[in-house]
Amino acid sequence: MAQLPEFLKSEGYVGGQWVAANSGNRLDVLDPATGETLVTVPRMGAVETTEAIAKAQAAFEGWSRRTAVDRATVLQAWAAAMRANAEDLARLLTLEQGKPLSESRVEIEYAASFFSWFAEEGRRLYGDIIPSHRTDARILVTRNALGVVGGITPWNFPSAMVTRKAAPALAAGNCMVLKPAEATPLSALAIAALGEQAGVPAGVFNVVTGGREEAPQIGKALIDSPLVRKIGFTGSTAVGKQLMRDCAGDLTKVSLELGGNAAFIVFDDADIEAALDGAQICKFRNAGQTCIAANRIFVQESIHDKFVEALCARAQDIEVGHGLEQNVSQGPLIDTRGLEKVERLVADATEKGATLHLGGQCHAAGGTYYQPTVMTGVTPAMDISHEEVFGPVAAITSFRDEQDAIEMANDTPYGLAGYFYSRDVGRIFRVADALKTGIVGVNTGLISTEVAPFGGVKESGIGREGSKYGIEDWTELKYICLAGLEAAS
Ligand code: ADP
């Protein structure tokens, strides 16, 4: 077994206690690079989730009544604790998720930044005083915490997806029960441990761990509880839709960050080197396992061949291996389910006429490693045009003109991120307006930051995370009509 960081926790975290499952059952957490078990965590279910909800409810009164400054102080201390332990957190993240250590370091800083940012935003949850409809009344509007909230997070960003929900939720005065992904619970537990050190009161942040089998029970216990007033979810569109249907029962609020099918368009007036830099990071970061990854790359006819050749040269230089090894820039895929999906989509595309220029097979390193892959001639008849590949596969299509590119880019039920490269200012505004996505990257393949609103339109989700907007989703408005203010006679 690889060496594990010191503050590794392997129990659930409920009401400030580190606890096992009532059943005593445990779940293996694997290093996806080797398939070895790193550690086991509890297989918790509905009963433990209900217990965590009760602890969160008990903590809510005290936490929500604190001043925003007081909560901000705790969240800033949490951010500082993450930064002080960044190297250990990054190693832990790489061990359970597989991404290269350099990427894990970036994720840890990104994750910590949500605590710093929302500590401040919590202090700015301003209300309104609205000009009144009556001479004897004043209209006051305040933003209030919801109560107990649930967070359900995925494995591709095991730290950042936790803090992107917990930070705004807690800053606004809510208490959270979090269910991390079954593949990557350790980062969430480490964050909870650092929260404890930073002074987060017992019950304010709880972590319930479980396997794929327990996920529906945990989700249902959260949604069915009348105490839980919101679910913040990041994951697949199928599960997101199911959760939203379930939330209709007692009208639990939802925010959903779901799948994407990002178009990455390179116009012939683009700075090609910049577009290659962007395509490389946007496509191959995290082995392509991001919901904002370039799933479909559209390149204008006149520069297509040159672009493909240069992208292949770059992809060829990608060092594949265990994320903890030096110089590795691509780790394994998360599991065999992920690998099989990539294999299926590449096979379908090549059978239907796509041309492979690089890769296209499992990597010689074995396990769930996949070769950096570049293919061209991708058409809408191929499944890869409609499904997220979630792997290191650049699927390229050439296009004639701007209209052609926009139509192809928007030909999807998803609408999370879209990217394009151009130096024509008129085109930049036209295309940015035309793309039906929640996020548009112009001349960049990297758009994530805590200061901007992240989220999608269409079937990519509801709500925004990060930025000043991201905290609003964790609050509700209260209108107070203050009447009886008669004028002095
Ligand atoms: P992926 O296919 O990438 O694993 P999922 O949407 O299946 O994406 O998983 C994202 C998160 O949702 C994980 O934490 C997972 O355990 C959880 N999850 C999966 N199914 C359910 C469910 N029915 N109810 C609640 N949570 C679920």
Side-chain angles (χ1 to χ4, degrees):
M1 192 201 281
Q3 204 192 343
L4 295 171
E6 276 176 15
F7 59 79
L8 177 91
K9 295 288 180 189
S10 55
E11 301 297 348
Y13 186 62
V14 175
Q17 305 291 317
W18 296 96
V19 293
N22 292 349
S23 64
N25 292 342
R26 313 224 19 121
L27 168 76
D28 288 335
V29 182
L30 308 178
D31 176 347
T34 62
E36 281 176 37
T37 299
L38 296 167
V39 73
T40 65
V41 297
R43 281 188 182 273
M44 300 167 113
V47 175
E48 295 88 338
T49 306
T50 303
E51 173 71 13
I53 293 167
K55 296 290 186 194
Q57 178 67 22
F60 177 67
E61 185 76 4
W63 182 247
S64 60
R65 280 174 182 271
R66 286 194 186 197
T67 63
V69 174
D70 195 0
R71 285 195 297 266
T73 305
V74 175
L75 296 182
Q76 292 287 16
W78 206 347
M82 285 191 73
R83 291 186 170 115
N85 292 283
E87 194 59 21
D88 278 347
L89 286 170
R91 290 179 69 82
L92 183 62
L93 204 165
T94 290
L95 276 173
E96 67 172 346
Q97 200 273 346
K99 67 178 65 175
L101 190 55
S102 55
E103 289 187 26
S104 292
R105 290 183 180 126
V106 172
E107 180 176 342
I108 296 302
E109 173 48 36
Y110 181 45
S113 76
F114 288 110
F115 284 132
S116 304
W117 172 264
F118 283 112
E120 293 301 317
E121 285 305 300
R123 301 175 62 186
R124 301 195 180 96
L125 272 180
Y126 301 142
D128 270 326
I129 298 175
I130 296 175
S132 181
H133 60 312
R134 279 163 48 175
T135 53
D136 73 330
R138 298 289 182 275
I139 294 176
L140 283 62
V141 181
T142 58
R143 272 201 180 275
N144 302 304
L146 300 167
V148 179
V149 294
I152 301 178
T153 51
W155 49 264
N156 59 344
F157 288 91
S159 287
M161 294 306 97
V162 171
T163 59
R164 201 162 76 178
K165 291 173 179 53
L170 270 54
N174 304 287
C175 294
M176 176 169 272
V177 177
L178 176 87
K179 194 211 87 63
E182 49 277 7
T184 57
L186 305 181
S187 295
L189 294 172
I191 289 169
L194 292 171
E196 197 173 34
Q197 276 181 26
V200 177
V204 168
F205 181 68
N206 307 273
V207 183
V208 176
T209 58
R212 195 87 198 158
E213 299 78 1
E214 291 79 31
Q217 303 164 33
I218 296 171
K220 195 162 163 28
L222 285 170
I223 291 168
D224 287 353
S225 168
L227 298 176
V228 175
R229 297 314 311 147
K230 169 170 173 171
I231 300 290
F233 171 80
T234 301
S236 62
T237 297
V239 173
K241 285 180 179 176
Q242 184 58 50
L243 295 178
M244 189 165 173
R245 276 192 287 269
D246 294 345
C247 281
D250 62 357
L251 295 182
T252 306
K253 254 166 109 82
V254 280
S255 64
L256 305 169
E257 299 288 353
L258 308 178
N261 185 8
F264 186 101
I265 307 168
V266 188
F267 289 102
D268 59 8
D269 62 70
D271 173 338
I272 303 286
E273 281 303 307
L276 285 161
D277 287 345
Q280 187 173 354
I281 196 147
C282 191
K283 179 66 257 181
F284 294 105
R285 181 171 71 114
N286 202 4
Q289 302 171 112
T290 78
C291 49
I292 50 172
N295 207 51
R296 299 168 297 151
I297 300 177
F298 299 106
V299 185
Q300 200 152 9
E301 280 166 350
S302 58
I303 55 165
H304 175 269
D305 293 356
K306 185 175 158 198
F307 184 88
V308 171
E309 194 183 324
L311 188 63
C312 284
R314 284 164 177 253
Q316 214 147 19
D317 286 344
I318 292 173
E319 193 80 35
V320 177
H322 195 295
L324 290 183
E325 279 165 26
Q326 273 217 322
N327 301 327
V328 160
S329 45
Q330 184 187 304
L333 298 179
I334 190 70
D335 55 21
T336 48
R337 193 164 62 112
L339 180 69
E340 282 162 14
K341 184 178 190 194
V342 174
E343 287 185 288
R344 172 173 64 77
L345 292 177
V346 171
D348 172 78
T350 49
E351 274 161 28
K352 291 177 181 162
T355 306
L356 274 172
H357 293 258
L358 186 74
Q361 293 188 354
C362 295
H363 195 271
T368 57
Y369 289 107
Y370 197 83
Q371 294 176 335
T373 296
V374 177
M375 60 184 178
T376 59
V378 173
T379 71
M382 301 170 190
D383 291 344
I384 201 164
S385 294
H386 310 288
E387 288 182 51
E388 273 182 309
V389 61
F390 249 57
V393 179
I396 302 177
T397 305
S398 71
F399 68 89
R400 269 189 326 275
D401 56 25
E402 192 177 302
Q403 201 48 38
D404 194 21
I406 291 169
E407 276 168 22
M408 289 196 289
N410 286 337
D411 181 21
T412 169
Y414 297 103
L416 187 54
Y419 308 85
F420 66 94
Y421 278 71
S422 171
R423 283 179 294 189
D424 177 317
V425 72
R427 168 172 282 164
I428 286 174
F429 279 95
R430 279 194 306 275
V431 179
D433 281 351
L435 288 179
K436 293 193 171 68
T437 57
I439 305 166
V440 179
V442 186
N443 297 327
T444 179
L446 263 185
I447 43 75
S448 297
T449 161
E450 78 281 12
V451 309
F454 188 103
V457 299
K458 295 158 73 182
E459 293 189 29
S460 286
I462 291 175
R464 294 293 180 269
E465 291 186 335
S467 81
K468 66 173 182 175
Y469 306 104
I471 198 165
E472 292 177 359
D473 267 4
W474 298 93
T475 66
E476 58 198 350
L477 294 175
K478 179 174 280 181
Y479 149 45
I480 300 167
C481 183
L482 182 58
L485 308 175
E486 300 301 340
S489 51

